[in-house]
Amino acid sequence: MYRSITFRIDPNSSQRRFIDDSIDINCYIYNGLLVAIKQFYGGEGRLPSQMELNRISTRMWNSNEWMHRTYQNVMNDTGKRVLQAVKSCNPGLEKKKNGAGPDPPLRSPRFKKPCRYRSFGYLSNRSFAVVTYADSNGRPKRGLKLGKMEGILRCYNQRTPLPGVPKTCTVGRRCTGDRMEYFATIQCEVEDVPIGDTDKAEATWIGIDIGISKVAVLSDGTVYDNQNMRKEFDDGIRELQRKLSKATPFTSEYNKLKGRIDRRYAKLVNRRRDFIEKVSKEIAEGYDTICMEDLSVKGLRRISLSPAMTNSYNDASLGLLTRRICDKAMGAGHRVVFIDPKDTTQECSDCGNIVQKGLKVRIHDCPHCGLVMDRDLNSAINVLNRGRLATPSG
């Protein structure tokens, strides 16, 4: 099993120049390999292998001396990205047998602009290292040393330990308006955590109902309200966008306003992600078996009643919450059970009868058994009951 850790890095001027050059050079290699794949497919009738792409990129490296500013082995990661992108654009190409009819036309992904190519990767831990060094005060600090780059990269997030043995490293950048932020993602190999014994009497079960007004409601009554962070940022962003529309493009005033807008959006994303991480950790580590609805967030957006409801789905980050609960539960050795979401809100958790109610009705009032409770709590209890029935050990 693999786990990743992402942290910001603080390169100096020469290290920043090395990272920028590496990204630009690998962008050039990416586009060149796309052309090579098209020519190879036209002549051979098949896609090249990873090794064949590596040989092509090596020839590009040898014939262009200006490429020697970067580490040569990172081109293997670029070739891997190109091949994955082409295969995702041609899902049926792998199923075609040799000689089984004419070759279908090759659909190719777009070429990458330099501003849209943001990272490069080291595929072997022999090309990078996580080291410990002493700062000016003599305190031990974690740093990152990359192949062909001078010095040690200073890293943020010193407290979070590496989850395992480092295997790969991806170095990238993101624009925040008037400056670039650099980050590194290290993928580590960890031992598989076995699923705990959920048959024991003290094993804890929980059902979760996710939604808009309340991000998550647990069957034990715990409620995580939607923070509505977008409403907090909308007024400020709207005012800045009005000023941006009146500014002359690419002037200092225009760039300053655009940077302020980008920073506010980045702050919104970071706060939303922080909330999801805290909620998912509390849920995933607190219960042995977690029962959830097998929902399609894309389908929910498609049937939303208004743009405001669609924005609320985006603000709640339901897909990210589900994914992070699954990831953290796997790391903790806990189990996640997905059930059919049909009628979990309409069904009474006490008597099992269907009680139809619209979205505006927030209270479940059963005329058959007299049960009255919050509709989301009723749905969470139904999710828990279905999860127990669907699991032999439940």
Side-chain angles (χ1 to χ4, degrees):
M1 184 171 65
Y2 289 88
R3 296 182 64 183
S4 299
I5 176 175
T6 301
F7 46 82
R8 280 185 57 191
I9 54 179
D10 185 20
N12 57 34
S13 58
S14 63
Q15 293 170 344
R16 188 180 300 112
R17 193 179 308 115
F18 171 82
I19 294 174
D20 292 338
D21 288 345
S22 297
I23 292 176
D24 295 339
I25 291 170
N26 281 278
C27 177
Y28 179 87
I29 294 173
Y30 183 98
N31 295 331
L33 290 179
L34 271 182
V35 177
I37 287 177
K38 293 179 183 179
Q39 296 175 349
F40 189 94
Y41 184 80
E44 300 289 336
R46 63 177 179 86
L47 293 179
S49 65
Q50 180 69 54
M51 292 300 298
E52 289 169 331
L53 285 182
N54 292 346
R55 286 195 288 267
I56 294 174
S57 59
T58 301
R59 289 199 295 269
M60 295 173 63
W61 165 276
N62 293 330
S63 60
N64 295 279
E65 188 176 352
W66 58 272
M67 289 186 179
H68 297 178
R69 297 195 302 266
T70 186
Y71 192 67
Q72 182 180 3
N73 288 350
V74 300
M75 297 188 303
N76 297 341
D77 176 67
T78 305
K80 183 178 179 181
R81 295 185 188 187
V82 175
L83 199 58
Q84 289 176 347
V86 173
K87 288 181 179 180
S88 64
C89 291
N90 302 270
L93 197 61
E94 295 293 324
K95 300 179 181 179
K96 179 182 177 300
K97 303 296 183 181
N98 293 330
D103 296 332
L106 183 69
R107 292 181 293 179
S108 174
R110 294 181 178 180
F111 290 101
K112 291 285 188 180
K113 295 182 180 179
C115 61
R116 291 188 174 274
Y117 200 88
R118 302 185 179 95
S119 64
F120 64 97
Y122 293 84
L123 296 182
S124 172
N125 54 12
R126 292 177 295 179
S127 305
F128 72 95
V130 180
V131 298
T132 302
Y133 68 98
D135 63 1
S136 58
N137 297 324
R139 294 174 297 185
K141 294 289 185 179
R142 179 172 60 195
L144 185 63
K145 190 168 182 58
L146 303 177
K148 208 171 182 177
M149 188 186 69
E150 297 180 358
I152 298 175
L153 275 171
R154 293 180 294 178
C155 303
Y156 292 85
N157 191 11
Q158 295 284 333
R159 296 182 179 180
T160 304
L162 291 178
V165 180
K167 291 296 183 180
T168 65
C169 177
T170 301
V171 181
R173 66 187 178 190
R174 63 171 70 94
C175 180
T176 60
D178 57 350
R179 67 179 186 273
M180 284 287 183
E181 288 184 354
Y182 297 85
F183 64 92
T185 300
I186 297 180
Q187 191 177 49
C188 302
E189 185 178 13
V190 298
E191 296 182 358
D192 293 340
V193 180
I195 301 297
D197 185 9
T198 56
D199 297 331
K200 57 185 180 182
E202 61 272 17
T204 54
W205 288 65
I206 200 68
I208 306 176
D209 176 72
I210 60 176
I212 298 178
S213 59
K214 303 179 184 67
V215 172
V217 177
L218 310 188
S219 56
D220 61 2
T222 306
V223 177
Y224 298 96
D225 291 319
N226 191 345
Q227 302 296 309
N228 294 318
M229 299 176 189
R230 188 176 182 87
K231 293 182 180 179
E232 179 183 345
F233 286 83
D234 265 349
D235 293 338
I237 292 176
R238 193 177 294 113
E239 181 63 27
L240 289 173
Q241 287 175 336
R242 289 196 194 99
K243 294 180 180 180
L244 183 69
S245 64
K246 299 176 183 178
T248 303
F250 308 115
T251 60
S252 59
E253 180 187 5
Y254 180 90
N255 294 334
K256 182 178 179 180
L257 289 170
K258 191 173 185 304
R260 291 176 63 186
I261 292 173
D262 291 343
R263 283 196 296 273
R264 288 193 69 86
Y265 273 119
K267 188 174 181 179
L268 170 63
V269 171
N270 290 337
R271 285 187 57 181
R272 185 183 292 161
R273 183 64 182 256
D274 180 67
F275 173 72
I276 293 297
E277 292 291 334
K278 290 177 179 177
V279 172
S280 59
K281 180 179 180 180
E282 187 174 337
I283 294 175
E285 296 183 355
Y287 304 94
D288 295 316
T289 303
I290 303 165
C291 304
M292 303 178 66
E293 296 173 304
D294 190 11
L295 289 173
S296 170
V297 180
K298 184 182 293 187
L300 292 176
R301 290 197 188 101
R302 192 180 298 117
I303 62 174
S304 62
L305 303 179
S306 65
M309 182 178 289
T310 304
N311 290 335
S312 298
Y313 279 123
N314 297 335
D315 199 29
S317 303
L318 303 182
L320 178 61
L321 175 63
T322 302
R323 186 168 66 251
R324 294 305 292 156
I325 289 176
C326 293
D327 294 342
K328 293 178 185 294
M330 182 184 299
H334 297 166
R335 181 170 56 178
V336 178
V337 178
F338 287 98
I339 57 98
D340 185 4
K342 183 179 180 181
D343 291 334
T344 53
T345 303
Q346 311 297 337
E347 182 181 338
C348 178
S349 59
D350 190 16
C351 63
N353 289 301
I354 300 297
V355 182
Q356 297 292 341
K357 43 188 171 292
L359 289 175
K360 294 183 179 180
V361 180
R362 307 309 305 172
I363 300 297
H364 171 76
D365 188 356
C366 181
H368 305 282
C369 65
L371 178 66
V372 179
M373 64 167 54
D374 183 80
R375 63 177 287 162
D376 296 328
L377 178 58
N378 174 73
S379 177
I381 296 174
N382 285 329
V383 171
L384 174 62
N385 295 336
R386 293 188 185 185
R388 287 185 177 274
L389 291 176
T391 307
S393 60

